[in-house]
């Protein structure tokens, strides 16, 4: 789908098209309602600012679609396919880094009660491991803000891929 096709969709089809980028209804509604976009950049700017800030319920809903970093997303949903593609770009790591990342994921999940979420695109596994360790020291409030920012970055990249 390109930008022209997205602009031409009826609202329900447009919502269905962008939902895999970020399953937050308030965000979807804003991205769809602001059409037609003159450019992909304009659509991405809306995606960056829509539904800001996310509520705790919206964060929890969005997080439910993300596997642990380093794990392959299961299922045949569009979200799972996007996640598999994003994590595949990380390449492979040696067994030590993989084991340390698995432990960091568990430590993070025990501290915050949800998966560690980070925009994987453009990052290496050692960088992601370092971020997981750093973010485990965040306060819950600071971490919710970081999670929200990571979700936005992921959504913008996904939307850009959809519209380009």
């Amino acid at each position: 789908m390109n930008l022209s096709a997205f602009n031409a969709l009826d609202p329900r089809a447009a919502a269905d098209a962008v939902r895999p980028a970020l399953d937050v209804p308030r965000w979807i509604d804003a991205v769809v309602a602001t059409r037609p976009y003159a450019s992909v950049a304009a659509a991405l700017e809306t995606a960056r600012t829509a539904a800001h800030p996310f509520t705790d319920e919206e964060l929890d809903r969005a997080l439910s679609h993300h596997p642990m970093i380093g794990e392959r997303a299961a299922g045949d949903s569009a979200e799972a396919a996007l996640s598999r593609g994003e994590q595949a770009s990380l390449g492979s790591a040696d067994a030590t880094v993989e084991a340390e990342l698995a432990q960091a994921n568990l430590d993070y999940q025990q501290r915050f009660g949800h998966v560690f979420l980070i925009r994987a695109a453009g990052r290496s596994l050692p960088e992601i491991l370092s971020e997981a360790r750093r973010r485990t020291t965040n306060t819950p409030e600071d971490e919710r803000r970081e999670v929200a920012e990571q979700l936005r970055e992921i959504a913008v990249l996904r939307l850009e891929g959809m519209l380009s």
Side-chain angles (χ1 to χ4, degrees), residues 84-106:
R84 284 191 297 271
E86 292 156 359
Q87 291 207 36
S89 70
L90 294 173
S92 59
D94 65 40
T96 302
V97 171
E98 286 182 5
E100 289 176 2
L101 185 56
Q103 185 60 54
N105 273 319
L106 292 174

Side-chain angles (χ1 to χ4, degrees), residues 1 6 14-24 27-28 31 44 47 54 62-63 65-66 77-80 82-83 86 117 150-163:
M1 168 177 62
F6 177 62
D16 290 344
V18 299
R19 184 169 287 108
L22 180 61
D23 190 9
V24 171
W27 180 87
I28 293 166
V31 170
L44 299 181
F54 293 134
L63 283 168
H65 295 286
H66 290 271
S77 70
E79 292 92 343
L82 288 167
S83 180
E86 292 156 359
L117 182 86
Q150 293 301 305
L151 281 167
R152 284 187 188 284
E153 288 181 21
I154 292 166
V156 168
L157 287 172
R158 287 178 173 184
L159 186 62
E160 182 176 29
M162 291 173 187
L163 299 179

Side-chain angles (χ1 to χ4, degrees), residues 38-153:
S39 66
V40 172
L44 299 181
E45 184 56 31
T46 296
R48 281 186 194 91
T49 60
H52 192 313
F54 293 134
T55 66
D56 284 341
E57 281 181 5
E58 290 168 336
L59 287 175
D60 291 341
R61 178 185 180 113
L63 283 168
S64 73
H65 295 286
H66 290 271
M68 274 200 270
I69 196 83
E71 286 189 357
R72 183 175 169 83
D76 59 358
S77 70
E79 292 92 343
L82 288 167
S83 180
R84 284 191 297 271
E86 292 156 359
Q87 291 207 36
S89 70
L90 294 173
S92 59
D94 65 40
T96 302
V97 171
E98 286 182 5
E100 289 176 2
L101 185 56
Q103 185 60 54
N105 273 319
L106 292 174
D107 294 344
Y108 179 95
Q109 209 160 7
Q110 287 176 348
R111 171 134 168 79
F112 296 112
H114 57 80
V115 298
F116 170 67
L117 182 86
I118 190 167
R119 174 193 40 80
R123 290 191 165 115
S124 67
L125 284 171
E127 181 183 355
I128 289 170
L129 174 60
S130 175
E131 278 296 291
R133 288 175 173 156
R134 179 192 66 78
R135 286 176 47 195
T136 299
T137 68
N138 279 346
T139 66
E141 297 79 21
D142 288 342
E143 184 54 21
R144 292 300 264 189
R145 282 190 288 277
E146 285 209 47
V147 168
E149 181 55 34
Q150 293 301 305
L151 281 167
R152 284 187 188 284
E153 288 181 21

